[in-house]
Amino acid sequence: MTSPQNTEEKKAPTPEEEAQAAPARHGLVLILLILASVLTFTYQLPFKLAAIGFAIAAVVWSVKYIVAVVKTKQRRNMSLGILGGLLSVYLIFSTMSSAILWPVQSKYEECLRDAITQQAQLSCTSEYQSGLGDWFKQVTGQDLDLPGTN
């Protein structure tokens, strides 16, 4: 028995087809970088710092995505690049703030990890807020007035 001959041959994509498919590829990579950044942001210090690397890569990739979308005149798809870039910038600044507050933040994370009861968790939060106040007073010389703490 012979197999039927396939008369259609697979052809390599033309440069125009390749250009039309570029936004989809860039969008997939952008989504994966943002997802990696968000997931690593949930880790404890020092592993949380990996979120900065993924977020910076996502910002760069969102620019590539926007350029690819503009080149192919698919402007309706530009929102992914804009929102992805904004989310990545937010994650960069959030992670940097955790790094700046490293001593206070790491004590808080360690306390929460060891806390078993809700009372212990509330104690951790109270210690964290007082630690933030002490850090702020040390840096600025002023008292920190956190809402809900009096």
Side-chain angles (χ1 to χ4, degrees):
M1 249 182 146
T2 61
S3 62
Q5 294 291 330
N6 188 359
T7 56
E8 280 186 36
E9 292 182 20
K10 290 188 177 182
K11 297 178 184 176
T14 64
E16 185 177 305
E17 292 171 338
E18 193 70 29
Q20 288 293 325
R25 282 193 313 275
H26 289 309
L28 178 63
V29 172
L30 175 61
I31 289 171
L32 291 175
L33 286 170
I34 291 170
L35 182 63
S37 181
V38 169
L39 287 176
T40 54
F41 181 75
T42 62
Y43 294 162
Q44 291 184 351
L45 288 170
F47 305 109
K48 183 182 282 194
L49 298 177
I52 292 176
F54 287 121
I56 290 172
V59 168
V60 170
W61 216 267
S62 67
V63 171
K64 283 180 140 181
Y65 175 79
I66 291 171
V67 168
V69 164
V70 169
K71 281 183 179 179
T72 59
K73 297 181 174 102
Q74 299 175 2
R75 296 188 198 277
R76 66 183 183 278
N77 297 331
M78 196 178 302
S79 60
L80 173 66
I82 293 169
L83 292 176
L86 290 175
L87 176 63
S88 299
V89 168
Y90 170 76
L91 286 169
I92 289 169
F93 285 117
S94 295
T95 308
M96 286 174 56
S97 69
S98 292
I100 290 170
L101 297 171
W102 189 302
V104 178
Q105 185 75 25
S106 63
K107 278 185 193 176
Y108 176 66
E109 289 174 354
E110 186 176 318
C111 183
L112 277 182
R113 187 184 62 225
D114 296 337
I116 297 173
T117 64
Q118 288 182 344
Q119 185 63 33
Q121 291 175 352
L122 289 174
S123 174
C124 291
T125 303
S126 173
E127 289 176 24
Y128 177 65
Q129 289 175 345
S130 68
L132 277 180
D134 294 343
W135 177 85
F136 188 78
K137 185 163 182 113
Q138 182 182 13
V139 170
T140 65
Q142 299 177 6
D143 289 329
L144 177 63
D145 186 24
L146 291 173
T149 61
N150 283 332

